[in-house]
Amino acid sequence: MLRTAIETPLHVFEHEEHEPYLQVTWRDSETPARGYVVIDQLVTGIATGGLRMRPGCTAGEVGALAREMTLKMGAFGVHVGGAKGGIDFDPADPRATEVRERFLQAARPLLERFWVTAGDLGTQQEELDRSFARVGLGETSFHAAVVRAPDEGEVRDRVRRAFAARTDGLKLSELVGGFGVAEAALAALEQRGVPAATASAVVQGFGAMGGSTALYLARAGVRVVGITDARGLVLNTSRGLDVELLLSARSAGGVIDRSVLRDDDQERPGEAWLNQDVDVLVPAAVSYTITADNCEEIRARLVVEAANVPTTPEAERRLLERGVTVIPDFVANTGAAAGAWWVILGEVVSPSGACGRLSAQIRPLVQSLVNRADAMGTSVRHEAVVSARENSRRMIAEYGGAVAYQELFSDPWESGQDAVGDTAGHPSAQPGLPADALGPEPVRPVPVLLDAAPEHAGRYADAVPASAPGGHVPLHAPTDLS
């Protein structure tokens, strides 16, 4: 049986008591709805995290997800803290929009200056932006960041253009998260000595995250042999699935039209995804789908988490004992959040720019974390948490934490650091990735976890290593079609 956050608390940290910076509870005056905002940590006086709406949403769930956002930002060196919002209400209820907007009005002091939010479970980004406009908070849910820009109009225009552009038929918010998961899987495969061309994978879930993960794994040469949706598992172990065909037949809810299946494509029960003999499993659906009750079925060498917290702590411990490597969610699935912030800050201006930047960071990060976990006999999650905490402390020391309206858009590398590269360092200038339709990307040093001597583990370089822009470029990176 699948467990959800309703039934099982989220466990982000092992053996740690943690209190967030701020917790707010809201009660709606017209319905039974309750809402929660948790700001886990402020960096540069700001925090980021989506706003979800679902029946049964709890303060504990929101708090744990806020802490995970802190880890995501720390893992990728984005100088903001973690937050989350949640509303205990059914998004299918006809009153949902009104409830959400009353919540936004109540949280307005936070949304004006401190909390940058976005779409999440039960909340579409386009509808959230419209709600922000209706309650007088500007035209984007990124309002708290936009108002800190020297030129607010330029930032709004950049965000609007980047999020409207389509790459491989997908918007930035639909593709970059799954692209990052695929890159994390490819990095882990390479670290384990498995070429992409000989690797196989099963993806659980075919929504925005699962669909784009499957697409970019297939583009890299990985044989995607199984994909699950709400109706079950679609399987082809002999030649793999035609992912692009299945995407073309996918409903808005992530369900595949079975009429497009080929003669040798098979249908199996949904739970059969776990025991397939593949190299990579990608849980991209719900929380806590891999548990102590079913983890022994797993035959894959790698589990790459696309969903938030899909593996219980006990299951992960057992997998580690069996030699199965788990790439944690706050490393693998951070592409959507990091990509959005790179656009906001002007560090990239297009989907392919975000994907090039993401690949340049996530590949060396994953490989270094796997190396360290192997050397220390610990889990990748443990090493990633240690690294993210260290990076968060570094950023707070550099930019401040709970500070009053700290400059957000100042160049983090201006203190004596020279910019690295020129237009030749732009991923679009490299073979295999055409130039962006939206214009050139600014080139900045990319903080990347060093994979070097132990004394440097967990520290960031002040310049781009050989595997970053100007060096490694994913050959399967997407092409802008806008």
Side-chain angles (χ1 to χ4, degrees), residues 4-7 34 52-58 61 86-91 121-123:
T4 69
I6 300 174
E7 302 163 327
R34 290 192 179 192
R52 59 176 38 199
M53 176 183 279
R54 69 168 189 84
C57 184
T58 67
E61 171 189 343
I87 303 173
D88 178 6
F89 198 73
D90 187 350
L121 180 67
T123 303

Side-chain angles (χ1 to χ4, degrees), residues 13 41 70-78 328 330-331 361 364-366 368-370 372 378-395 447-451 456-461:
F13 286 107
Q41 181 172 278
T70 294
L71 289 174
K72 290 182 179 186
M73 297 299 97
F76 282 80
V78 180
F330 66 89
V331 173
Q361 281 195 242
L365 174 61
V366 167
S368 178
L369 291 172
V370 171
R372 289 168 56 189
T378 59
S379 68
V380 175
R381 184 181 307 275
H382 173 82
E383 295 302 325
V385 167
V386 170
S387 174
R389 287 175 178 161
E390 182 177 335
N391 293 335
S392 292
R393 287 192 292 267
R394 176 187 60 80
M395 290 188 293
V448 179
L449 193 65
L450 286 172
D451 183 10
H456 297 302
R459 300 182 182 178
Y460 277 99

Side-chain angles (χ1 to χ4, degrees), residues 203-216:
V203 178
Q204 182 219 23
F206 207 46
M209 184 71 79
S212 55
T213 299
L215 174 65
Y216 292 115

